[in-house]
């Protein structure tokens, strides 16, 4: 579950950087981290996680 929190925090940092700098690449990277964290969370919630 720790990696889900780390991915979520990274997503928030990227999205905050996107708001400050206005860069579209940062928005895309933030969304990638959010989707990654969400999919890992769903995988663990269904009992398919390795941890």
């Amino acid at each position: 579950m720790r990696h889900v929190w780390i991915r979520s925090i990274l997503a928030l940092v990227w999205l905050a950087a996107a708001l400050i700098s206005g860069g579209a690449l940062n928005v895309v990277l933030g969304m990638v981290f959010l989707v990654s964290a969400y999919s890992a969370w769903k995988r663990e919630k269904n009992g398919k996680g390795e941890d």
Side-chain angles (χ1 to χ4, degrees), residues 7-33:
R7 289 178 187 177
S8 299
I9 291 169
L10 285 174
L12 292 176
V13 168
W14 277 110
L15 290 174
L19 289 175
I20 292 170
S21 68
L25 180 61
N26 287 340
V27 173
V28 171
L29 289 173
M31 293 305 292
V32 167
F33 275 115

Side-chain angles (χ1 to χ4, degrees), residues 43-51:
R43 200 168 41 243
E44 285 196 13
K45 186 178 178 185
N46 291 334
K48 297 178 184 174
E50 296 175 5
D51 290 336

